[in-house]
């Protein structure tokens, strides 16, 4: 019930079959395969996620499932051990030329899984090496269809195209490529410098555009502010003029009403007892005051023909007030009227209501 580590017959076959592959690949694969080939001990225990390919007298017999299995000694032999786990392969760095004739150094990582152990054992000599070479050639082919700028922008699309191309060829090998990821992309130093200059120019362009947009927005805001200020100022001036006009109109109406009321009260006072005597005294006082102020503010003086006869002047003024008392009944609905009275050769204008 022992399990051997090395099978001499299997190792001899592997040594012969790896003569056409690189030494590094052959050493790694030989070590993995040789350490995985068990010896037929009648009773074998197959680990989970492994498939053991058994040959009977040199021909394919069956694939052992995980768990307990029985083999016939000498006739049956475990020829291949395939791992059904996901395998990660590091794709070496290689040169590729883009559509715009730029040489790139690119490497990647390949993720695959064996779906059919029979095809993986008998369909291809070295599945991992075959898939790696296919990934490299497909990657060079896909990079030749893209320019340098698109290689960096469409990295995900490039990965999916490589996976699709690998799966089309690896179906006959029983292998399924799950993912392909590009690790590093190296460009020549001069191209890298030009790309850096392009990036700096693009950033300067964006900065200039943003600054110009900011200046434009600031100018628009200032113009809008001035416009609003002028509108508000004109509206304020309009409201002020309307208020001033309304105030002046109210003042005129108030003065007219006050004057009408004063005339009405004066006419009522003249009709009372001794009203004429009081009016004569008031007129005489005003006459004396006005006569004393003559020639104080102007050089032109108009005098009556009889300036010393105060009684005649008072008599004429009383005659005027007498005429006003006769029109008392129509004072409320009266309209302004100008009367011209002649006082001993001089013309006197009086504003009344009729």
């Amino acid at each position: 019930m022992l399990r051997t580590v090395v099978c001499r017959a299997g190792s001899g076959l592997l040594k012969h079959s790896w003569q056409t592959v690189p030494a590094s690949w052959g050493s790694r694969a030989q070590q993995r395969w040789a350490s995985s080939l068990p010896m037929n001990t009648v009773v074998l225990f197959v680990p989970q996620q492994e498939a053991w390919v058994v040959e009977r007298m040199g021909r394919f017999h069956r694939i052992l499932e995980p768990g307990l299995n029985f083999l016939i000694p000498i006739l049956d032999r475990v020829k291949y051990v395939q791992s059904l786990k996901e395998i990660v392969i590091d794709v070496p760095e290689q040169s590729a030329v883009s559509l715009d004739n730029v040489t790139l150094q690119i490497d990647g990582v390949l993720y695959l899984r064996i779906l059919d152990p029979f095809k993986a054992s008998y369909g291809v000599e070295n599945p991992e090496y075959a898939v790696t070479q296919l990934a490299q050639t497909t990657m060079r082919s896909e990079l030749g269809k893209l320019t340098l700028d698109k290689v960096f922008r469409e990295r995900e699309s490039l990965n999916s195209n490589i996976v699709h191309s690998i799966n089309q060829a690896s179906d006959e090998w029983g292998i399924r490529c799950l993912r392909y990821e590009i690790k590093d992309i190296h460009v020549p130093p001069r191209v890298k410098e030009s790309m850096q200059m392009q990036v700096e120019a693009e950033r300067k362009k964006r900065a200039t555009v943003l600054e110009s947009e900011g200046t434009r927005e600031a100018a628009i805001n200032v113009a809008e502010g001035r416009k609003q200020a002028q509108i508000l100022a004109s509206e304020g001036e309009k409201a002020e003029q309307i208020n001033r006009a309304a105030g002046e109109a109210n003042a005129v109406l108030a003065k007219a009403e006050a004057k009408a009321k004063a005339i009405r009260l004066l006419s009522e006072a003249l009709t009372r007892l001794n009203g004429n005597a009081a009016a004569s005294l008031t007129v005489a006082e005003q006459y004396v005051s006005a006569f004393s102020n003559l020639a104080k503010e102007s050089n032109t003086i108009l005098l009556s023909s009889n300036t010393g006869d105060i009684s005649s002047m008072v008599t004429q003024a009383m005659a005027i007030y007498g005429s006003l008392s006769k029109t008392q009944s129509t004072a409320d609905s009266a309209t302004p009227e100008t009367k011209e009275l002649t006082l001993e050769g001089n013309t006197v204008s009086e504003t009344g209501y009729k």
Side-chain angles (χ1 to χ4, degrees):
M1 296 294 179
L2 298 177
R3 180 177 175 180
T4 60
V5 180
V6 179
C7 181
R8 295 182 179 179
S11 61
L13 179 61
L14 289 174
K15 183 177 180 181
H16 175 72
S17 62
W18 284 98
Q19 292 178 355
T20 58
V21 297
S24 59
W25 277 91
S27 61
R28 291 200 302 266
Q30 284 179 1
Q31 185 178 5
R32 185 176 67 83
W33 281 71
S35 62
S36 301
L37 291 178
M39 186 176 181
N40 185 0
T41 56
V42 182
V43 179
L44 298 177
F45 297 94
V46 180
Q48 187 67 33
Q49 290 298 98
E50 285 190 7
W52 292 6
V53 180
V54 178
E55 291 182 354
R56 176 168 291 181
M57 294 183 295
R59 296 183 62 181
F60 172 74
H61 176 56
R62 67 190 178 100
I63 298 176
L64 301 182
E65 299 294 334
L68 179 61
N69 293 273
F70 297 94
L71 295 179
I72 300 175
I74 301 175
L75 298 180
D76 295 338
R77 181 167 62 94
V78 178
K79 180 65 175 180
Y80 300 101
V81 174
Q82 302 290 354
S83 176
L84 303 181
K85 299 178 182 179
E86 186 172 346
I87 303 173
V88 181
I89 301 176
D90 189 9
V91 180
E93 188 179 42
Q94 61 176 338
S95 299
V97 181
S98 63
L99 184 62
D100 49 355
N101 296 325
V102 178
T103 302
L104 303 176
Q105 297 292 331
I106 188 169
D107 57 0
V109 180
L110 184 64
Y111 300 85
L112 53 88
R113 176 178 294 172
I114 296 177
L115 301 181
D116 191 344
F118 176 79
K119 291 183 179 180
S121 301
Y122 298 99
V124 62
E125 185 67 29
N126 185 355
E128 295 181 4
Y129 179 75
V131 172
T132 303
Q133 295 299 315
L134 181 61
Q136 290 181 336
T137 56
T138 305
M139 184 167 52
R140 284 194 294 265
S141 176
E142 293 295 331
L143 285 176
K145 300 177 183 178
L146 301 175
T147 60
L148 180 60
D149 295 335
K150 289 186 177 181
V151 169
F152 292 100
R153 290 199 304 264
E154 301 181 3
R155 200 163 178 171
E156 183 177 358
S157 176
L158 181 61
N159 293 335
S160 62
N161 292 337
I162 294 175
V163 171
H164 179 70
S165 301
I166 293 174
N167 287 331
Q168 285 182 345
S170 62
D171 287 338
E172 298 296 330
W173 304 338
I175 299 175
R176 182 72 176 177
C177 181
L178 303 178
R179 293 180 303 277
Y180 183 86
E181 299 293 338
I182 297 176
K183 291 197 302 183
D184 295 322
I185 300 177
H186 303 282
V187 297
R190 292 185 179 180
V191 177
K192 189 174 182 179
E193 292 177 0
S194 63
M195 292 175 61
Q196 187 67 27
M197 294 175 61
Q198 181 179 0
V199 171
E200 293 178 358
E202 184 68 23
R203 290 180 179 176
K204 290 181 180 179
K205 174 184 175 182
R206 292 180 182 178
T208 304
V209 171
L210 291 177
E211 184 178 0
S212 63
E213 290 179 355
T215 304
R216 184 185 65 179
E217 292 294 334
I220 292 175
N221 291 337
V222 172
E224 288 289 338
R226 292 178 179 176
K227 177 182 177 181
Q228 293 296 332
Q230 292 178 357
I231 292 175
L232 293 177
S234 62
E235 291 179 355
E237 185 177 358
K238 175 183 177 182
E240 182 182 0
Q241 292 178 358
I242 292 174
N243 293 334
R244 186 183 295 113
E248 292 177 356
N250 292 331
V252 171
L253 291 176
K255 289 181 180 179
E257 291 177 357
K259 191 172 183 178
K261 185 176 181 180
I263 293 174
R264 189 182 304 111
L265 293 175
L266 180 61
S267 63
E268 290 178 357
L270 291 176
T271 57
R272 294 179 182 178
L273 182 64
N274 297 326
N276 292 331
S280 300
L281 178 60
T282 301
V283 171
E285 291 176 352
Q286 292 179 356
Y287 178 80
V288 172
S289 176
F291 190 80
S292 63
N293 292 328
L294 292 177
K296 289 183 178 181
E297 298 179 356
S298 175
N299 294 328
T300 303
I301 302 175
L302 296 177
L303 297 175
S304 173
S305 60
N306 190 7
T307 58
D309 192 357
I310 299 177
S311 60
S312 63
M313 295 295 296
V314 172
T315 301
Q316 292 181 3
M318 291 301 299
I320 295 173
Y321 282 106
S323 64
L324 292 175
S325 62
K326 294 180 181 179
T327 61
Q328 178 181 0
S329 60
T330 59
D332 294 337
S333 60
T335 56
E337 180 182 357
T338 302
K339 294 182 180 180
E340 294 183 356
L341 301 177
T342 303
L343 299 177
E344 295 182 0
N346 297 324
T347 301
V348 179
S349 296
E350 179 183 4
T351 302
Y353 292 84
K354 69 175 182 177

